Amino acid sequence: METKIHRLPDTVINQIAAGEVVENPASIVKELIENSIDAKAHRITVEIQGGGQQLIRVEDDGSGMGEADARLSLERHATSKIQSVDDLQTLQTMGFRGEALAAISAVSHFELKTADGSQATRILAEGGKIVAMEPCARNRGTTIEIQSLFYNVPARKKFQKSPSTNAAQVAKVVEVIALAHPEVSFTFISQGKKLFEAPAVSSWKERVEEVLGAYPHEVDFQREGLKIWGLLASPDRALANRSGQYLFINRRPIFSPLIARAVKEGYGTRIPENAFPSFVLFLDVAPERVDINVHPQKKEARFREEGQMFRLFEEAVAGAFGLPAFSEPISFDEPPVTENASFPAFSFPPRETPSFLFAEETSLPLSYTEKALAVLGSFFLLEKEGWVLVDLQAAHARVLFETLQKPQAASQALIWPLEIELTRSEAMQADTILEELQKMQIECRFLGQKTLVIDALPPFLEQKDFPEFFRTWQEGKKLEIVTDRFCRSRKKRYSLEEARLLWQKVQECTNHRYDPLGHPIWKKVEEEDFSKWMRG
Ligand code: ADP
Ligand code: MG
């Protein structure tokens, strides 16, 4: 029988694959709910036990799958949603990488029951291997049940949060997705108790009110082919953190420090300097104008027209409070995007995408006396009582150096462990290598005589870079030299978010002025310096 799901060709995989979708129960529930939404479900029920570590069950009444598709759905890089990278330009679904079910079933006892109206199939998988497949009884739709999460990945299991924290995170995921999909009914059950129920409603306003309570100020703003709409909480409901802020771009939940600041500007002096307004805002915009870095863990958006986007949001919010609109027209001075433009709708720099980012970071790292100005390759210019130029390679080396020495730094489990073939002489020192790596929070073991398997890495050491790090380290150099050389030798271009994170982390270091070999991490820059440089 013809299947809907196909394995993506390697060329496509290389451009889109992300590899990390199963951090914790919340990220799993997010993937499963998104699948249900992609399958056009009207009703989605999420149930967990033990914060999700014992049980996660997501049930929907969507399109379901036939038997052959059901089997394919567990394969890596198998998806019904795209066939080529070009399809991303017109992507209508939340998923497209074909990684979630493969990754989730690889680390759990997994049961899939699905029916497409003519066939109903049940598949059992353990640690990614299908152990049973048979016809079953089920109405159209899909149920996925996950038990013993991470039973075979002890490193990840060890770093799971408490059941109550996990349950709260899952609840938040359900809530956030529910906000953007009023036409779907959601139920969330934890420990047998119904904690959240949102029946399908016809307007998003009803949904927001039901989920979050009254947000009295409506935003309804249209300009230059984009639409900003949503609800704002009254200024006296401003919070000390960002937990009341919800932003969706084309219905995807997105975190954007830029827009959060613009909204704050729009509130003007109605809220105090150090408070955060609560809002639910939706932006509908042509996909080519926003560069959503759709790594499953990175809900960041980048706009092609940052300045304009900032002003539009500011204006939209200010308008909701009855302020006059800016008189000056806002121009989009970048050239319009044509079909053959060199800007892809989404840009996927998967091999560049760092795994150390956003592991736990959801708050904006920069303090409010600091303003990020620009990232120039491996330099970061920021404003902080004048200008400060940060050498990101030096900062990275310092942060990595201190992280590797700090035994309490939590390492991040790799879902697909990394294997390194050792030379014969290295293999002879296997015990020493294991011991020393483990001291740096690098969780590893041996497979046979010569294969070193890495299961978890500390933050700031990316999986793709590890082999090179390991080689330099094996040359027997001191850690100062290894980290310094390692961070300086790679031609990494840092993103603005990475720059912010490094800058924040470097300030928590014992020595935040110099890299491990004594090069300065940052310097103040005066106008004079520019003048000397340009005018001699
Ligand atoms: P992706 O969503 O990126 O395609 P997944 O691993 O999440 O990858 O799912 C693989 C495929 O399995 C999907 O492309 C879809 O065809 C199918 N699938 C997954 N979940 C469901 C569901 N709840 N209902 C119907 N089909 C599903
Ligand atoms: Mg998916």
Side-chain angles (χ1 to χ4, degrees):
M1 202 188 114
E2 174 105 11
T3 58
K4 295 189 187 118
I5 302 180
H6 303 273
R7 189 181 185 278
L8 292 171
D10 286 344
T11 46
V12 180
I13 293 172
N14 289 337
Q15 290 177 72
I16 63 164
E20 282 290 300
V21 284
V22 282
E23 285 276 320
N24 51 35
S27 56
I28 291 175
V29 167
K30 170 176 171 289
E31 292 293 332
L32 297 179
I33 298 182
E34 290 186 348
N35 279 346
S36 299
I37 288 174
D38 286 345
K40 307 248 173 331
H42 298 292
R43 158 172 287 284
I44 300 174
T45 306
V46 178
E47 177 163 5
I48 61 170
Q49 295 272 0
Q53 293 238 60
Q54 279 164 24
L55 171 81
I56 297 174
R57 185 189 301 118
V58 176
E59 190 174 310
D60 71 51
D61 60 355
S63 61
M65 290 176 267
E67 184 189 295
D69 278 320
R71 176 165 1 98
L72 276 169
S73 72
L74 298 192
E75 278 190 23
R76 280 183 83 184
H77 310 302
T79 180
S80 57
K81 300 172 193 174
I82 63 166
Q83 299 196 357
S84 72
V85 174
D86 291 342
D87 292 344
L88 296 173
Q89 305 266 357
T90 50
L91 190 71
Q92 298 288 332
T93 53
M94 316 276 281
F96 60 86
R97 290 191 170 92
E99 291 186 305
L101 295 191
I104 297 167
S105 62
V107 294
S108 64
H109 295 295
F110 184 96
E111 182 188 59
L112 166 69
K113 275 196 212 152
T114 187
D116 64 357
S118 61
Q119 282 178 316
T121 310
R122 171 173 177 266
I123 292 182
L124 272 183
E126 268 168 41
K129 304 254 174 323
I130 294 184
V131 294
M133 179 155 139
E134 65 206 6
C136 70
R138 199 201 182 289
N139 291 336
R140 205 182 76 123
T142 301
T143 306
I144 286 175
E145 193 170 299
I146 292 148
Q147 293 189 39
S148 331
L149 185 58
F150 302 131
Y151 77 98
N152 53 354
V153 197
R156 181 145 303 193
K157 195 165 178 190
K158 200 162 76 195
F159 288 110
Q160 286 303 301
K161 305 234 163 75
S162 70
S164 60
T165 306
N166 275 333
Q169 287 182 352
V170 171
K172 182 92 181 174
V173 162
V174 181
E175 180 186 294
V176 169
I177 300 182
L179 283 175
H181 298 276
E183 71 288 356
V184 180
S185 100
F186 289 88
T187 308
F188 173 55
I189 300 163
S190 175
Q191 302 300 107
K193 261 206 233 126
K194 201 185 283 177
L195 295 187
F196 176 84
E197 187 161 38
V201 284
S202 52
S203 93
W204 59 272
K205 251 187 264 175
E206 274 176 75
R207 176 56 60 89
V208 171
E209 267 170 23
E210 185 168 320
V211 175
L212 299 174
Y215 277 42
H217 304 279
E218 184 168 349
V219 176
D220 184 6
F221 182 90
Q222 239 164 315
R223 178 80 61 85
E224 309 275 349
L226 59 75
K227 195 168 170 233
I228 300 169
W229 43 290
L231 293 173
L232 306 171
S234 59
D236 55 25
R237 275 189 59 184
L239 302 174
N241 56 45
R242 292 172 186 281
S243 60
Q245 306 192 339
Y246 300 88
L247 174 69
F248 300 87
I249 299 181
N250 298 341
R251 304 301 164 95
R252 270 175 203 278
I254 296 285
F255 168 67
S256 165
L258 175 89
I259 303 241
R261 276 201 308 276
V263 173
K264 168 102 195 235
E265 286 295 314
Y267 270 77
T269 51
R270 289 180 176 81
I271 50 174
E273 258 305 292
N274 52 0
F276 296 88
S278 294
F279 59 81
V280 184
L281 286 173
F282 299 87
L283 168 67
D284 287 351
V285 59
E288 59 266 25
R289 282 171 63 183
V290 51
D291 177 13
I292 299 177
N293 184 355
V294 226
H295 184 292
Q297 303 304 316
K298 291 167 198 139
K299 307 152 199 105
E300 290 278 310
R302 284 193 194 102
F303 299 101
R304 293 195 46 223
E305 313 129 323
E306 288 213 333
Q308 290 91 333
M309 215 45 101
F310 187 97
R311 295 196 51 198
L312 288 172
F313 266 88
E314 183 182 352
E315 186 181 342
V317 169
F321 291 109
L323 287 189
F326 294 110
S327 50
E328 213 182 310
I330 294 169
S331 73
F332 289 88
D333 44 22
E334 271 141 301
V337 179
T338 65
E339 267 181 46
N340 300 322
S342 54
F343 273 100
F346 301 108
S347 73
F348 301 98
R351 303 285 164 240
E352 286 280 348
T353 313
S355 54
F356 63 74
L357 251 183
F358 304 108
E360 294 292 319
E361 313 291 328
T362 44
S363 66
L364 179 70
L366 279 190
S367 84
Y368 276 82
T369 54
E370 297 173 350
K371 194 165 145 207
L373 294 180
V375 178
L376 313 154
S378 58
F379 289 95
F380 180 32
L381 184 64
L382 61 102
E383 210 175 284
K384 185 194 185 185
E385 302 153 15
W387 294 319
V388 175
L389 188 66
V390 185
D391 178 348
L392 291 171
Q393 291 182 338
H396 194 168
R398 165 56 61 189
V399 170
L400 183 60
F401 177 69
E402 296 203 4
T403 305
L404 294 178
Q405 287 181 315
K406 232 186 285 168
Q408 74 270 24
S411 47
Q412 298 166 4
L414 309 177
I415 224 51
W416 317 108
L418 178 71
E419 294 182 7
I420 297 182
E421 286 306 312
L422 298 188
T423 62
R424 185 192 287 265
S425 66
E426 284 169 345
M428 280 160 61
Q429 309 162 35
D431 287 346
T432 334
I433 291 182
L434 280 186
E435 193 185 320
E436 304 237 309
L437 287 178
Q438 276 158 4
K439 258 194 241 156
M440 294 190 277
Q441 290 293 109
I442 295 166
E443 292 188 23
C444 51
R445 60 196 150 89
F446 266 88
L447 197 70
Q449 304 273 300
K450 283 172 63 184
T451 310
L452 177 66
V453 181
I454 310 291
D455 289 312
L457 287 173
F460 300 98
L461 195 52
E462 297 166 42
Q463 175 166 8
K464 71 176 165 59
D465 294 329
F466 185 77
E468 193 194 326
F469 175 88
F470 181 75
R471 289 284 154 231
T472 325
W473 179 71
Q474 272 300 297
E475 287 165 13
K477 300 282 186 322
K478 284 185 4 194
L479 196 58
E480 283 87 345
I481 301 178
V482 177
T483 47
D484 219 85
R485 187 180 290 177
F486 170 71
C487 290
R488 289 189 184 276
S489 66
R490 15 182 248 151
K491 298 258 172 309
K492 180 173 168 64
R493 306 188 75 77
Y494 293 85
S495 72
L496 186 62
E497 296 314 314
E498 289 170 310
R500 287 170 193 273
L501 181 62
L502 279 174
W503 176 241
Q504 184 207 24
K505 290 290 168 193
V506 92
Q507 291 176 85
E508 294 164 14
C509 285
T510 335
N511 178 343
H512 54 85
R513 288 299 321 248
Y514 299 101
D515 80 358
L517 291 184
H519 309 111
I521 294 171
W522 53 268
K523 276 187 185 166
K524 285 209 160 240
V525 188
E526 309 289 342
E527 195 177 341
E528 241 170 70
D529 297 322
F530 286 128
S531 157
K532 256 190 235 145
W533 177 54
M534 287 294 284
R535 300 170 190 154

